[in-house]
Amino acid sequence: MCSLTLFPPPLQDGQTTLCESNNELLSGSNTQNASPMSLHFPRESLKLHSRTESSSKAAFLDHSETLWMRSAAAWRDGGLTGLLNEITDSNSEVPKWLSVGSGCILALLRWISSFHSSLFPHLTLSSEDMIAEFSQVLNWSDCVVRAFAWHPHTDKFAVALLDESIKIYNPKSTTTPTLKHRLQRNVAAMQWKPLCASALAVACQNCVLVWHVDPCSLSARPSSSCAQVLSHPGHAPVTSIAWSPSGALLLSASPMDTSMMVWDVAAESCVPLQRVGGGGVTFLSWSPDGSHVLASTPSALFRVWETRMWTCERWPCLKGRCQSGCWSPDGSRLLFAVEGETVIYALTFAGAPDISTSSLKGPQAAAVVADLSETTFHTEDGDLIVGGEIQSLAWDPRGERLAVLLKGDPQATNRPAIIAVFKTRTSPIFELLPCGFVQGEPGVEPRLMQFHPNFQHGALLTVCWSSGRITHVPFYFLTSAVPVVGLSGSPSLLHPLERPADFASQSLFTELLS
Amino acid sequence: MFAADSGCWFTQKVLCWRAAASVAWSVLLLPASTAAFVVLSKLSVLHPVQMFADCVSVLLSAGSVFSFVLLAGVIIMVGFLTFEYYTVIPSIACSKVALLGQLLHPRQLLYCLAHGVMGVVVGWSCAVTIGYRYERLAYLCPQKDRDGLLHMCLNEHHLLLLLEGGFVGLSHSLLGVIQNLNYVSFGTVQQHKYLCFKASLPLAAKCSAAQAFYSVRNFVLLYFFLGHIPRAWMCKSLSLHLDSSAHPLDSISGLLDLSLLYLLWISATYLLFSWYMTLLLFRIFVTEAYSFPVQSTFTEEAPQCLPKVLSEKQPMILKFLALQDLSLLSQHSPSRRSQVFSLSQPGGHPHNWNAISKECLSLLADLTQRLVSYHETVATNGRTKSLSSGSDRKTSSESSGTEDLASCRPTFLMKTPASVFLRSVGAGPQSPLTSPFTPDLDSPFASPTLRQLTSPVDPGSPWHGVVQSPHVMRRAPKLWSTSTDSQRNGSPPASPATLPTPKPESSKPSFLAQFFQNRREQLPEASSQALFADGQAHIWALDGLSYLVQASFTEDQFGVVQTTLPSILSSMLLLQEAVDRHFKLPHASSKPVRSTISLGDSSHKTLRFALRATLKTAIYRITTTFGAHLHAVQLSAEHRKRLQHFLEYKE
């Protein structure tokens, strides 16, 4: 087992990673060329809400209403606890037994809920904190770009911004539609529907929105009637969504809800798949071949669902919850990272189960494939510590590059968040080789990353930075494996592997060693 | 009832067993729900030990065993009726009158009657189980009469429970028609039966409690007004006396007995819950995926193979299950796909693929044809032709016309409710208001109960009792009202008391007439729903075809799919065109109102949206798989252009 010491050292100050070519990461100084595709959303340009909605209550004068009216309003706004609160507070107007009784019930409810939340501590978080806690985005609440989604088939992408709007960029059209909706608040994730040109699912605080943005439309502000609202009581906030690769179903997950929802989007109906253990579902990832779904929970437990009969395997972790995970293109291998640990694990699954073999036999234990514990690099600008916990994982659609977003330490200046990129090979054996670090301008941290789903010349990693800039880092290579049929048309010829660089010859992990 | 002998093996070998298994499970689950009912009926917070002892003694008594046997009989009967009346294609009433026609269908009346009788039986079991003052129908009168003789007196509490059971059973069966309870829909995802059942259990409990609450409310109101009739009838037929010392129950003080209301509610919930369980189990068992062999080595098994079964007409569920199986195998099973793509051994013909693709394509062509002809009807006349109601175009258009007129000014055609009856009985076919169901207005079913039962179909719709709605005026086309105008002027007035003077006070008596007039009006989007009633079959056909075509890119060794690819593409594109045109119609793209809590499956209301999405996805699935190779496929220029949109992701 090897570590980050095998990686080429990080860049000096003032250098940014531009691309990978001939097996080397090339860098340049940051000022010269902002590539035409890169976008910049300065924080100042966004019109943010200065005040949260709950605080506006104080701005209005107190108005005396009858107890009935207030109770009704409290019932509407706050449900049973709101009603009980109202009755307890207005003890001068109601009979004593009523206010005392409701006070007792309230105390009892609080006691029960405290017991419940001591079991699952995440339930005490506010929904915004909860999204920040479980999001794949580093430091989500402070992030200008809150979510990013490439279209699976074309070169367009959607960007969700801090001001609750979503912009859609398409290189082939001059209009950039801006999507706004009353319910579109605190966007945690977005995904385009596969095998469709227009549908974009957005995980919001209270619901899932599915926008239908006509690619031929010239409208810059599609009306909110273009959005379908998918909501289910108790299923909020939604922190993760996943379309099935066949485009038929949409999964949504909320840490507050023990069931994950399988949506038939067109019919706006859902089937809850409930498993109580874990106390919620935080992160979903559908394997590219559609046969498995990873669903992690807020506890030290995650599940791998099989999508034919929707049965699941439980995978208890030792230390913490599963923070992130990604699938190999053929869906046979799952890499995942656990909170509190600095390693990447791998699970191997048998190929797509045939209809005749209903019970699939999964792996028995996860194997550690990479150790990302802290490593100190001595550079000219001083020591730089790289490594630590993992925020998110991304595997390019050909299965050749694996990007790992490391959390870093916001307090320490010499331990920034950084993206480490591995070279991977899935066939004939699984191999992991170091590639390098992707760095941005000085003082700017990567927050979110995603691979382009069908980049012709290798892999294209899109990184959203803390400054509000979005850049694309291409990795040019010739693919060694047969490309995935169906995405790029006719299968191309096999090409010989390129010359291996000297550091790359030291493989981090191969199945032969373990 | 399944006359066709070709699908008979399926009914005998699979369906009956599935239905029997579901009924057996519901009988097995009956003790649990009965125990819960007993505990709830004996509930007393202050004496938990005594309550427990009571419950145990009740559950172990001989009477409860007998009533349990009776209840098991009821469950078996309910299961049998469910099996007889289930359908995989919902019957969608295009107007309220058509709905009334469905309700009054003799077959349906039989169903309702059976449920009413079974409700009475369940009510009796409940009464016996609860015990106390509810246990017996008659008791010894406390007072002697003038002659000093002791008489048997009627126990009204017992009677109340019996009647309530009957009422709840009847209203359950009537509501079942309105909510399409007999419609069996197939789930979006495949799950094991136990998990399905577990997931739907809370819903069943919630639904039965809510439904029981409303039923009890209605029953109590009904009993308050009409309770003396059954009581007197009971006394008379069984020669029982009324206890003068006991308080009559059809009074406010008699009915406002909390424990009585609670017991009524609990027993109604129990009744509905056990029936809903039977229904749910039946649905889960009967929609379980069935794996048909693609091909068989034995000729006698050939009728049971997928290509043959797909083309069966009866029973409908066989076709549905076959299409579901096709869709599943095309997605999940490489080995069965290879059988589909295989060639026949002597001869080398792709019989399997040909049969499957032919059937799927004919399904799609059928839907396309239906959509096109519907669209032509609408486009040429500017009015919709009702599909399922017996009173078709004439009635619908003319009623709309009159209704338009009625909303603008008080109608003069109808003055009084009497004139409605007069015309409906005697005026004959020349009357514009005749409809086959109008004479039923004075039938005993036209009670407030019925009106209240028909209303929950679409409570959010503007047709709900409101006549002067702005929607009504907006919906009526202009051309139309002029045509009815001329007709109105030309036709002799049907009622003798007509004067074409629009006076506000004359609108008052015509309210009832307008009420029924509106009921005959087309329900918005209902005709669109009816068009796509069997959309699930088309969805599976599209899924199956597109997945098979996608798989053929790598798995089809002999190129059997290639020969049909042009026709698959063109039929999909034709359907896409027809669907697109259909969704441009006014009511087609309006979303149905979210149904309130009910076990009735409302998925048929959104089938057209699901079909549209599936169709698009299916075409994209083919275009992304084949990419530029599709340029080599023989297609018409128009289709090629359309396909190019898909290739560029612009649809």
Side-chain angles (χ1 to χ4, degrees):
Chain A
M1 190 52 50
C2 294
S3 66
L4 293 170
T5 45
L6 294 171
F7 269 65
L11 301 171
Q12 295 163 4
D13 248 9
Q15 297 275 304
T16 55
T17 313
L18 293 180
C19 67
E20 186 207 278
S21 177
N22 288 329
N23 246 348
E24 274 179 283
L25 282 180
L26 304 180
S27 61
S29 64
N30 56 333
T31 45
Q32 47 191 8
N33 52 347
S35 87
M37 275 292 275
S38 93
L39 285 169
H40 191 207
F41 300 100
R43 186 176 294 267
E44 300 76 41
S45 70
L46 302 175
K47 292 193 198 75
L48 301 178
H49 300 292
S50 53
R51 184 181 285 135
T52 57
E53 219 162 274
S54 58
S55 67
S56 64
K57 205 175 180 179
F60 293 95
L61 284 176
D62 201 27
H63 170 62
S64 60
E65 282 177 319
T66 62
L67 181 68
W68 276 115
M69 296 291 285
R70 273 183 289 139
S71 302
W75 170 259
R76 200 182 55 231
D77 296 342
L80 182 64
T81 42
L83 180 68
L84 289 173
N85 252 330
E86 183 66 47
I87 294 174
T88 319
D89 287 348
S90 53
N91 47 10
S92 58
E93 293 167 66
V94 296
K96 194 156 189 291
W97 61 268
L98 190 60
S99 68
V100 170
S102 61
C104 287
I105 297 171
L106 201 60
L108 192 71
L109 281 178
R110 281 191 187 138
W111 183 72
I112 293 170
S113 73
S114 75
F115 176 72
H116 186 212
S117 57
S118 70
L119 220 58
F120 299 114
H122 71 275
L123 295 179
T124 54
L125 295 173
S126 75
S127 54
E128 208 154 322
D129 291 342
M130 199 181 286
I131 298 173
E133 173 76 21
F134 298 119
S135 168
Q136 293 293 295
V137 183
L138 183 61
N139 203 350
W140 175 87
S141 43
D142 182 43
C143 204
V144 179
V145 177
R146 291 197 141 168
F148 180 92
W150 276 108
H151 191 273
H153 308 289
T154 58
D155 283 334
K156 69 179 169 188
F157 58 84
V159 184
L161 298 172
L162 189 57
D163 63 351
E164 319 293 4
S165 69
I166 294 175
K167 287 182 190 299
I168 294 172
Y169 290 89
N170 190 349
K172 286 179 189 158
S173 106
T174 51
T175 52
T176 51
T178 306
L179 312 178
K180 285 189 183 178
H181 195 282
R182 186 172 49 86
L183 294 169
Q184 188 172 290
R185 286 189 291 132
N186 293 330
V187 175
M190 287 191 299
Q191 201 182 0
W192 290 90
K193 180 180 175 180
L195 298 178
C196 182
S198 58
L200 173 72
V202 183
C204 306
Q205 188 174 316
N206 294 319
C207 62
V208 178
L209 287 176
V210 180
W211 284 94
H212 295 270
V213 190
D214 185 0
C216 302
S217 159
L218 295 172
S219 151
R221 268 295 299 272
S223 80
S224 49
S225 66
C226 300
Q228 280 178 284
V229 181
L230 308 177
S231 65
H232 193 266
H235 195 71
V238 181
T239 54
S240 188
I241 47 175
W243 283 99
S244 71
S246 64
L249 302 171
L250 174 70
L251 283 182
S252 72
S254 165
M256 293 292 278
D257 195 354
T258 50
S259 45
M260 87 186 173
M261 297 292 163
V262 185
W263 292 95
D264 182 352
V265 173
E268 296 187 13
S269 64
C270 68
V271 180
L273 296 176
Q274 190 167 36
R275 295 291 185 277
V276 177
V281 185
T282 56
F283 172 69
L284 295 171
S285 173
W286 208 310
S287 72
D289 68 337
S291 61
H292 293 95
V293 177
L294 164 74
S296 63
T297 68
S299 314
L301 168 78
F302 68 91
R303 295 192 175 83
V304 178
W305 291 82
E306 160 276 319
T307 59
R308 212 176 60 72
M309 289 304 286
W310 291 97
T311 52
C312 65
E313 293 173 24
R314 279 165 58 100
W315 282 91
C317 310
L318 285 178
K319 265 209 154 151
R321 65 187 160 84
C322 171
Q323 165 66 31
S324 181
C326 59
W327 292 89
S328 66
D330 58 354
S332 64
R333 201 166 271 107
L334 168 69
L335 299 186
F336 65 94
V338 172
E339 194 189 36
E341 291 189 56
T342 59
V343 293
I344 301 175
Y345 290 98
L347 284 176
T348 314
F349 294 88
D354 199 306
I355 207 157
S356 52
T357 57
S358 57
S359 63
L360 77 163
K361 194 70 188 149
Q364 295 305 310
V368 176
V369 292
D371 182 5
L372 303 176
S373 50
E374 290 170 21
T375 308
T376 309
F377 287 95
H378 304 287
T379 60
E380 290 168 13
D381 309 317
D383 286 358
L384 195 68
I385 304 172
V386 172
E389 284 189 38
I390 294 160
Q391 176 70 29
S392 67
L393 296 167
W395 209 338
D396 94 277
R398 295 174 194 231
E400 303 244 351
R401 294 291 180 275
L402 173 73
V404 182
L405 176 53
L406 297 163
K407 270 180 187 168
D409 187 356
Q411 265 77 45
T413 48
N414 62 344
R415 231 191 109 187
I418 201 167
I419 296 175
V421 181
F422 293 87
K423 290 175 188 168
T424 55
R425 202 177 298 157
T426 47
S427 64
I429 51 164
F430 180 55
E431 279 187 309
L432 212 57
L433 306 148
C435 180
F437 296 114
V438 171
Q439 284 167 282
E441 298 161 31
V444 174
E445 285 189 336
R447 287 287 164 83
L448 161 66
M449 57 178 190
Q450 194 178 35
F451 275 106
H452 189 289
N454 48 359
F455 185 62
Q456 295 296 317
H457 314 288
L460 180 71
L461 182 67
T462 303
V463 186
C464 306
W465 303 91
S466 56
S467 61
R469 189 176 287 282
I470 298 175
T471 60
H472 308 283
V473 182
F475 296 80
Y476 296 108
F477 56 84
L478 296 172
T479 183
S480 57
V482 180
V484 183
V485 172
L487 289 179
S488 53
S490 57
S492 60
L493 294 169
L494 293 185
H495 293 285
L497 271 177
E498 58 269 57
R499 162 190 68 90
D502 47 351
F503 56 83
S505 60
Q506 293 163 305
S507 112
L508 278 175
F509 174 83
T510 73
E511 275 177 334
L512 293 179
L513 293 176
S514 61
Chain B
M1 67 176 278
F2 302 113
D5 47 354
S6 46
C8 206
W9 67 272
F10 188 74
T11 312
Q12 283 169 2
K13 281 190 187 163
V14 183
L15 275 186
C16 284
W17 283 111
R18 286 183 171 193
S22 77
V23 171
W25 272 109
S26 25
V27 169
L28 282 178
L29 287 168
L30 195 60
S33 53
T34 311
F37 168 69
V38 168
V39 169
L40 284 175
S41 68
K42 307 261 171 198
L43 200 63
S44 72
V45 186
L46 299 175
H47 308 286
V49 179
Q50 200 200 337
M51 180 186 95
F52 184 71
D54 270 0
C55 293
V56 171
S57 70
V58 165
L59 285 174
L60 297 179
S61 69
S64 78
V65 170
F66 176 66
S67 75
F68 180 77
V69 170
L70 214 58
L71 284 174
V74 167
I75 291 292
I76 291 170
M77 191 63 198
V78 168
F80 175 73
L81 284 176
T82 315
F83 180 58
E84 277 295 299
Y85 280 77
Y86 84 98
T87 167
V88 287
I89 301 175
S91 56
I92 293 163
C94 284
S95 65
K96 300 245 164 169
V97 167
L99 189 68
L100 198 65
Q102 277 182 19
L103 282 173
L104 297 179
H105 194 276
R107 191 173 135 86
Q108 194 57 46
L109 285 180
L110 197 70
Y111 179 80
C112 293
L113 199 68
H115 274 87
V117 171
M118 288 189 298
V120 172
V121 172
V122 177
W124 180 82
S125 306
C126 288
V128 169
T129 316
I130 293 169
Y132 306 129
R133 52 180 179 175
Y134 302 97
E135 197 165 358
R136 304 213 175 281
L137 184 62
Y139 60 97
L140 224 51
C141 286
Q143 306 102 337
K144 296 173 180 172
D145 68 351
R146 260 174 260 138
D147 311 332
L149 289 170
L150 275 172
H151 284 287
M152 293 303 276
C153 282
L154 176 74
N155 181 4
E156 205 177 346
H157 288 95
H158 185 90
L159 179 68
L160 196 69
L161 274 179
L162 291 190
L163 288 176
E164 190 233 11
F167 179 82
V168 173
L170 209 63
S171 67
H172 163 81
S173 57
L174 285 174
L175 266 180
V177 180
I178 292 158
Q179 297 178 346
N180 264 321
L181 269 189
N182 62 343
Y183 166 53
V184 174
S185 76
F186 291 78
T188 14
V189 292
Q190 297 289 310
Q191 280 191 81
H192 290 294
K193 290 194 287 276
Y194 165 67
L195 293 170
C196 277
F197 178 69
K198 206 179 78 176
S200 51
L201 207 55
L203 181 71
K206 229 190 292 179
C207 280
S208 48
Q211 193 53 52
F213 177 78
Y214 292 117
S215 296
V216 167
R217 184 196 64 186
N218 298 339
F219 171 71
V220 164
L221 282 179
L222 198 70
Y223 193 78
F224 178 70
F225 290 112
L226 303 172
H228 58 276
I229 301 172
R231 192 175 53 199
W233 180 72
M234 263 320 219
C235 285
K236 206 174 144 200
S237 58
L238 295 179
S239 65
L240 292 170
H241 289 252
L242 272 182
D243 190 355
S244 50
S245 66
H247 204 76
L249 276 182
D250 59 339
S251 61
I252 291 180
S253 54
L255 283 173
L256 272 186
D257 178 356
L258 273 186
S259 106
L260 174 73
L261 290 179
Y262 172 73
L263 284 175
L264 283 180
W265 178 62
I266 285 291
S267 43
T269 308
Y270 170 65
L271 181 152
L272 286 175
F273 183 71
S274 54
W275 291 6
Y276 279 152
M277 292 281 271
T278 317
L279 182 69
L280 273 177
L281 281 167
F282 177 78
R283 280 187 194 167
I284 291 169
F285 270 87
V286 90
T287 57
E288 195 195 359
Y290 185 86
S291 184
F292 296 91
V294 177
Q295 62 185 10
S296 167
T297 37
F298 305 106
T299 41
E300 60 265 33
E301 281 178 19
Q304 305 178 15
C305 288
L306 192 61
K308 266 279 181 306
V309 166
L310 272 180
S311 54
E312 297 285 349
K313 293 280 178 286
Q314 282 294 333
M316 209 54 203
I317 191 161
L318 175 61
K319 190 175 185 109
F320 271 62
L321 283 171
L323 282 165
Q324 186 191 33
D325 187 40
L326 173 70
S327 150
L328 287 176
L329 88 87
S330 66
Q331 289 177 53
H332 297 294
S333 177
S335 61
R336 295 178 69 199
R337 275 199 303 255
S338 71
Q339 288 184 328
V340 172
F341 298 139
S342 69
L343 300 180
S344 66
Q345 206 30 272
H349 294 288
H351 287 308
N352 293 334
W353 166 252
N354 282 348
I356 288 173
S357 64
K358 192 177 138 221
E359 184 54 35
C360 290
L361 287 178
S362 80
L363 268 176
L364 298 188
D366 172 50
L367 181 64
T368 312
Q369 188 53 43
R370 217 188 302 167
L371 286 176
V372 166
S373 60
Y374 176 80
H375 198 269
E376 271 166 10
T377 321
V378 172
T380 49
N381 296 356
R383 48 192 159 183
T384 50
K385 179 179 176 180
S386 97
L387 280 159
S388 69
S389 77
S391 53
D392 56 9
R393 194 197 303 179
K394 184 177 174 233
T395 318
S396 86
S397 67
E398 294 193 333
S399 66
S400 288
T402 3
E403 167 263 328
D404 169 39
L405 161 83
S407 59
C408 298
R409 68 184 94 152
T411 176
F412 67 94
L413 276 176
M414 302 167 284
K415 278 289 179 195
T416 57
S419 73
V420 175
F421 297 140
L422 180 134
R423 190 174 22 260
S424 63
V425 176
Q430 79 275 10
S431 159
L433 294 163
T434 314
S435 113
F437 301 110
T438 322
D440 287 316
L441 292 179
D442 45 2
S443 79
F445 279 97
S447 62
T449 328
L450 180 77
R451 227 165 292 159
Q452 173 258 323
L453 282 172
T454 43
S455 54
V457 188
D458 200 357
S461 88
W463 315 102
H464 180 58
V466 188
V467 180
Q468 271 85 6
S469 155
H471 298 261
V472 178
M473 300 207 270
R474 217 184 308 134
R475 239 192 104 234
K478 282 282 158 287
L479 246 176
W480 212 350
S481 57
T482 51
S483 75
T484 33
D485 262 357
S486 62
Q487 188 191 34
R488 183 185 72 211
N489 296 333
S491 67
S495 171
T498 47
L499 274 172
T501 43
K503 276 184 186 162
E505 56 265 31
S506 68
S507 73
K508 216 174 177 184
S510 70
F511 177 77
L512 187 68
Q514 285 180 11
F515 181 85
F516 286 109
Q517 203 54 50
N518 282 336
R519 290 297 169 275
R520 206 178 293 130
E521 169 61 16
Q522 291 266 317
L523 292 172
E525 53 157 307
S527 52
S528 190
Q529 281 175 21
L531 266 180
F532 289 93
D534 57 345
Q536 189 64 59
H538 301 109
I539 289 173
W540 281 325
L542 282 168
D543 266 344
L545 271 184
S546 64
Y547 277 114
L548 283 175
V549 170
Q550 184 185 33
S552 77
F553 192 71
T554 48
E555 293 175 14
D556 179 13
Q557 295 167 348
F558 309 108
V560 293
V561 175
Q562 272 185 33
T563 52
T564 26
L565 194 55
S567 55
I568 289 175
L569 276 174
S570 61
S571 68
M572 280 185 182
L573 289 170
L574 274 175
L575 182 59
Q576 157 84 7
E577 204 175 313
V579 168
D580 272 358
R581 265 174 55 187
H582 180 80
F583 272 89
K584 293 208 173 84
L585 293 177
H587 281 297
S589 53
S590 62
K591 298 265 173 189
V593 187
R594 277 294 177 84
S595 60
T596 47
I597 177 168
S598 114
L599 264 192
D601 209 315
S602 62
S603 63
H604 62 273
K605 293 183 181 165
T606 46
L607 271 178
R608 59 185 186 281
F609 300 105
L611 184 102
R612 180 173 62 163
T614 311
L615 176 60
K616 222 170 232 188
T617 309
I619 302 177
Y620 269 122
R621 190 169 291 136
I622 297 176
T623 53
T624 39
T625 309
F626 283 79
H629 299 293
L630 285 181
H631 293 306
V633 176
Q634 293 285 323
L635 282 175
S636 72
E638 197 188 333
H639 285 166
R640 195 172 293 281
K641 205 171 129 196
R642 192 108 198 192
L643 211 56
Q644 192 58 36
H645 278 268
F646 277 96
L647 283 168
E648 288 167 2
Y649 292 96
K650 280 185 177 167
E651 271 296 323

